[in-house]
Amino acid sequence: MSSTDGPDLAEAPEERCFLSTAEAAALERELLEDYRFGRQQLVEWCGHASAVAVTKVFPLPALPRKQRTALVVCGPEQNGAVGLACARHLRVFEYEPTIFYPTRSPDPLHRDLTTQCEKMDIPFLSYLPTEVQLINNAYRLVVDAVLGPGVEPAEVGGPCTRALATLKLLSIPLVSLDIPSGWDPETGGDAEDGLRPDVLVSLAAPKRCAGRFSGRHHFVAGRFVPDDVRRKFALRLPGYTGTDCVAAL
């Protein structure tokens, strides 16, 4: 989420749906500093909206009882916190999430979210099977909450890097939060050889790399962004229906 350090959006209307990394960071600063939203609030909103997006693509009534399972793979940065919140909301929505969180953050917010998930009896895997078919057989879908914009695989350590290598090989649907982990947020670099999600949930607003997303469903989870902030960043996004917190792109 970021300010106006990128190209002149007024001269590039075709890019008004997308934010650069700098613009995304500036938009988030505006929410935190000017509007005085808390980081936990933003994470909670994004996690709830991400879970709602999952329910729209994989509605519970259409799933057999044994296919309500979801594996949520979380990294140690903010996207991982959103993944933890998403997993908790999926449990509230009566799905059966399991979390793989190999590199745990000492950040108090991460610790709080982890405790909440544990208290709600959401299982945590101690390791991710390298036998891909075991994951395909055990889960209906996987949520990728490993890396967010500006976070490189090398920054989060070997376990997360190995997890991403496994996610690339899965045949079950993959839902990426904000950006597909490992993609360059500006150019979408690694879009061909990296993760190929079926569903992308852009948080607040789509990042530039979303222009290269070719999966089945793209949602934006930004209902919480005030109208004047949307105008300031020249965002042209679809409207939200009724009380929906996500909109399909």
Side-chain angles (χ1 to χ4, degrees):
M1 316 173 183
S2 320
S3 164
T4 50
D5 291 336
D8 184 350
L9 295 178
E11 296 179 2
E14 72 278 4
E15 292 191 349
R16 285 186 180 176
C17 287
F18 303 100
L19 293 179
S20 69
T21 303
E23 290 164 345
L27 190 152
E28 184 169 4
R29 280 197 305 275
E30 185 126 349
L31 296 177
L32 292 170
E33 297 173 7
D34 293 356
Y35 278 82
R36 308 304 297 169
F37 290 129
R39 191 163 67 95
Q40 184 170 356
Q41 275 183 293
L42 298 184
V43 165
E44 191 66 29
W45 283 331
C46 289
H48 173 260
S50 297
V52 169
V54 169
T55 71
K56 289 185 176 296
V57 181
F58 307 98
L60 206 58
L63 297 179
R65 180 68 191 177
K66 291 183 179 180
Q67 290 193 11
R68 296 181 177 186
T69 53
L71 176 62
V72 184
V73 184
C74 300
E77 304 294 338
Q78 183 153 308
N79 238 34
V82 174
L84 292 169
C86 174
R88 194 185 73 243
H89 284 290
L90 286 173
R91 168 53 62 88
V92 171
F93 295 155
E94 299 186 357
Y95 290 76
E96 298 175 10
T98 295
I99 296 169
F100 180 56
Y101 182 26
T103 306
R104 297 202 177 193
S105 169
D107 180 75
L109 174 56
H110 282 251
R111 291 204 307 266
D112 290 348
L113 290 166
T114 300
T115 298
Q116 292 159 16
C117 291
E118 291 171 340
K119 290 286 189 183
M120 293 181 69
D121 295 324
I122 299 175
F124 282 74
L125 295 181
S126 57
Y127 68 94
L128 191 66
T130 55
E131 178 53 58
V132 173
Q133 196 55 41
L134 291 176
I135 302 173
N136 289 334
N137 292 340
Y139 302 103
R140 178 66 179 87
L141 64 115
V142 174
V143 176
D144 156 36
V146 184
L147 306 177
V151 181
E152 297 293 332
E155 297 177 40
V156 296
C160 287
T161 302
R162 290 191 292 273
L164 290 179
T166 300
L167 296 188
K168 291 179 187 179
L169 303 175
L170 297 177
S171 60
I172 55 177
L174 182 66
V175 179
S176 286
L177 306 188
D178 211 14
I179 69 170
S181 291
W183 283 29
D184 183 296
E186 300 289 340
T187 66
D190 207 24
E192 298 302 322
D193 299 324
L195 297 183
R196 303 290 293 275
D198 300 271
V199 182
L200 177 62
V201 185
S202 293
L203 306 179
K207 313 311 178 283
R208 283 183 178 165
C209 66
R212 296 194 64 184
F213 172 69
S214 58
R216 294 182 299 139
H217 302 279
H218 184 188
F219 296 95
V220 59
R223 185 100 191 226
F224 57 86
V225 179
D227 287 341
D228 64 333
V229 175
R230 293 181 201 171
R231 288 191 291 269
K232 178 175 180 179
F233 289 88
L235 289 173
R236 182 180 297 165
L237 298 171
Y240 294 86
T241 302
T243 59
D244 280 356
C245 56
V246 297
L249 293 172

